[in-house]
Amino acid sequence: RQAATPGRRRSAVRGDGERRLRGYSGPGPDPRDPQLLGAVLEKLVKARGWQQPAAEATVFGAWERVVGPEVAQHSRPVKLENGELTVEARSTAWATQLRLLASSLLQQIAREVGHNVVRKLHIHGPAAPSWSRGPRRVRGRGPRDTYG
């Protein structure tokens, strides 16, 4: 009599104790229906606790979208550690400009990737070659003593 009751689904118990539905799913939504890949990934990220690393990766992967095309053309993120983002500017003039825009950049980053992902910005100009350090350093005045 129970098997002949329409609308009732039979279930079986799997080895891990979870109940599994048998038979056809019918016209309504069912957990066995195909899922969108984005929704499945979102559930996986949430279940594994990967929200923070995913947000940090967005800062690097989508830098142009996060800060805008003009700023992204003249800068690049270098390192994100303990909520402090190090940004390298293409020139010293752009480094100065980015320092002046630091608060608005922090707001844009927070709006795009979430709050407390980036709490502080360290902005540097372009790195010049160092004549005083390196594997082939020679004692003396450096390159100045060979000119003229």
Side-chain angles (χ1 to χ4, degrees):
R1 185 168 116 174
Q2 289 176 348
T5 307
R8 186 171 174 124
R9 297 183 179 161
R10 297 182 341 196
S11 62
V13 179
R14 291 195 311 199
D16 58 359
E18 185 178 320
R19 297 180 69 79
R20 183 174 59 98
L21 296 172
R22 287 188 184 177
Y24 296 105
S25 65
D30 191 90
R32 296 173 293 175
D33 290 343
Q35 303 292 319
L36 296 174
L37 182 62
V40 172
L41 284 176
E42 186 177 324
K43 277 195 237 178
L44 179 68
V45 166
K46 191 173 183 180
R48 301 275 172 119
W50 292 342
Q51 292 96 339
Q52 185 75 12
E56 291 173 358
T58 303
V59 172
F60 290 94
W63 181 245
E64 185 174 349
R65 188 187 70 198
V66 170
V67 296
E70 187 177 7
V71 173
Q73 184 180 359
H74 298 284
S75 65
R76 69 181 182 96
V78 177
K79 163 175 89 166
L80 178 59
E81 196 171 85
N82 299 327
E84 297 182 3
L85 178 65
T86 303
V87 177
E88 184 179 285
R90 181 173 283 181
S91 66
T92 54
W94 267 100
T96 303
Q97 183 69 21
L98 291 176
R99 285 186 195 106
L100 294 173
L101 293 173
S103 62
S104 64
L105 286 176
L106 282 172
Q107 289 174 354
Q108 284 178 310
I109 292 170
R111 189 172 34 245
E112 228 14 82
V113 298
H115 295 286
N116 292 329
V117 175
V118 177
R119 293 185 299 273
K120 189 174 181 182
L121 287 176
H122 293 284
I123 300 169
H124 301 287
S130 173
W131 299 106
S132 63
R133 292 181 221 102
R136 295 183 176 88
R137 184 185 186 308
V138 178
R139 290 193 173 267
R141 292 185 61 212
R144 293 180 297 274
D145 63 349
T146 59
Y147 300 138

